[in-house]
Amino acid sequence: MVPEHSEAAGGDTAALALKILVAGGFGVGKTTLVGAVSEIKPLRTEELLSEAGQSVDDTDGVDQKVTTTVAMDFGRITIRSGLSLYLFGTPGQDRFWFLWDELSQGALGAVVLADTRRLADCFPAVDYFEHRHIPFVVAVNCFTGARAYAAPEVSRALDLDEGTPVVMCDARDRASGKEVLIQLVEYAGRMHAARLLDSVS
């Protein structure tokens, strides 16, 4: 959490900025989500897919994808007065996972984007956040033509811990993405409050 201070007509007001990760498999829509919800021009570190990466980047199911994130995406959204979210989109390929530890430092929680056509691709992100006790929600990016599944079905398929939220979204739509982020902040807030109570009881 990053405290920010701004000068208002009535004096000093404290604003809260929370760090959120957006993770998931290759081609699931992380860059799209960050770009759709960000109120500033998002920072992107995309490079063209190359022949050299064909042996390690599985483009099955995302044949139209021509670029990939090689470091991170960054955006910002104001949820309400006094509360902003800094969004850090993680790279999806295995060879860039070493960046996740650095990006996750100080994060309130994470959104794990999932594509039901390639559900196994989000297992590494789910495992990562579960093992580090970082609160997360699974946001199913509803691609056109993909079979629709109910949230409980996705939860069972991913073997999620009880209570981990699963929400449906359209990563291209700002309102849909914002709702995912609101649900994450509310869930992470409950989780952190419960842990604080446990630590003092």
Side-chain angles (χ1 to χ4, degrees):
M1 288 182 252
V2 183
E4 291 186 335
H5 298 279
S6 60
E7 193 75 24
D12 289 337
T13 58
L16 187 62
L18 304 175
K19 182 179 183 181
I20 302 295
L21 299 186
V22 179
F26 177 65
V28 77
K30 300 179 295 294
T31 298
T32 300
L33 177 65
V34 172
V37 301
S38 181
E39 61 199 16
I40 62 172
K41 183 178 180 180
L43 167 68
R44 293 177 173 159
T45 57
E46 289 193 306
E47 295 292 342
L48 290 172
L49 292 172
S50 65
E51 289 185 14
Q54 288 180 351
S55 61
V56 289
D57 292 333
D58 179 11
T59 58
D60 186 35
V62 286
D63 304 345
Q64 304 302 313
K65 188 171 176 61
V66 295
T67 62
T68 185
T69 299
V70 296
M72 67 172 187
D73 298 311
F74 175 78
R76 186 190 71 211
I77 179 174
T78 301
I79 296 296
R80 59 171 170 74
S81 178
L83 176 59
S84 297
L85 304 182
Y86 289 163
L87 308 175
F88 292 81
T90 66
Q93 301 100 307
D94 302 12
R95 66 185 185 279
F96 296 125
W97 284 349
F98 68 92
L99 295 169
W100 286 31
D101 286 337
E102 188 71 27
L103 290 174
S104 66
Q105 291 295 318
L108 174 79
V111 173
V112 175
L113 271 177
D115 177 353
T116 56
R117 302 168 303 176
R118 300 161 51 113
L119 200 57
D121 289 0
C122 71
F123 273 116
V126 168
D127 288 343
Y128 182 91
F129 297 123
E130 283 185 344
H131 287 131
R132 287 160 180 78
H133 306 290
I134 297 173
F136 68 94
V137 302
V138 172
V140 178
N141 193 7
C142 299
F143 287 90
T144 302
R147 179 180 168 186
Y149 292 89
E153 293 178 285
V154 175
S155 182
R156 286 193 298 273
L158 293 175
D159 194 25
L160 298 177
D161 290 341
E162 186 177 355
T164 302
V166 176
V167 296
M168 305 299 153
C169 76
D170 181 344
R172 302 165 299 179
D173 183 73
R174 188 174 195 274
S176 180
K178 184 175 180 179
E179 182 58 33
V180 169
L181 295 170
I182 289 171
Q183 292 204 37
L184 170 62
V185 170
E186 291 175 347
Y187 174 65
R190 293 194 300 270
M191 293 293 291
H192 286 292
R195 290 171 187 169
L196 182 59
L197 287 173
D198 286 343
S199 69
V200 298
S201 61

